[in-house]
Amino acid sequence: MTVRLRPCVLVAVLALPSIAAAQGVAPAAPTSMTATDSTWDNGTGVVLTWSASPDDSSLRGYRIRQRQADASEYTLVDIVPPGTTTFTVGNLHGGTAYRFDVAAVGGDGTFSAPAETATTVNSCDRVPRSTRSTFAL
């Protein structure tokens, strides 16, 4: 008796979400962003504040970026946890104008529209307080 085996084709059907569902819906953006030069760091830092996204509880965090005012591309500064609404950007060059933005990062990795500084922020050069001269008039 001869037994012949026939090749068998196994077909697996995978349930894949649609591309739109895989990319998700972008979270709501943070709002009311401000940037203020730090007064304590001799012009090397700027304090950013913003109002949290309404989707804060479901976020991975917030993406913070910076660029010099005359540059066209932003660079990543950090990604901070959900619930964060203040961040100090350091290592800036004193006397240089910067722009900043903050975007919410959804649980699936999508980004909201960024909240941006309305104007450029100058990181100011300062003489450290301990070396200032005091004049009596």
Side-chain angles (χ1 to χ4, degrees), residues 23-63:
Q23 291 177 347
V25 175
T31 58
S32 305
M33 183 176 172
T34 63
T36 308
D37 179 48
S38 299
T39 58
W40 48 266
D41 65 358
N42 200 28
T44 61
V46 169
V47 178
L48 305 177
T49 59
W50 61 90
S51 295
S53 164
D55 299 324
D56 188 76
S57 64
S58 64
L59 297 178
R60 285 189 184 173
Y62 294 93
R63 177 191 68 194

Side-chain angles (χ1 to χ4, degrees), residues 93-135:
H93 301 287
T96 302
Y98 290 91
R99 292 190 71 98
F100 301 92
D101 75 14
V102 174
V105 183
D108 60 357
T110 56
F111 295 101
S112 72
E116 299 179 271
T117 51
T119 60
T120 60
V121 178
N122 287 315
S123 178
C124 299
D125 287 320
R126 288 192 177 77
V127 176
R129 188 176 297 274
S130 62
T131 62
R132 290 183 184 166
S133 298
T134 304
F135 297 99

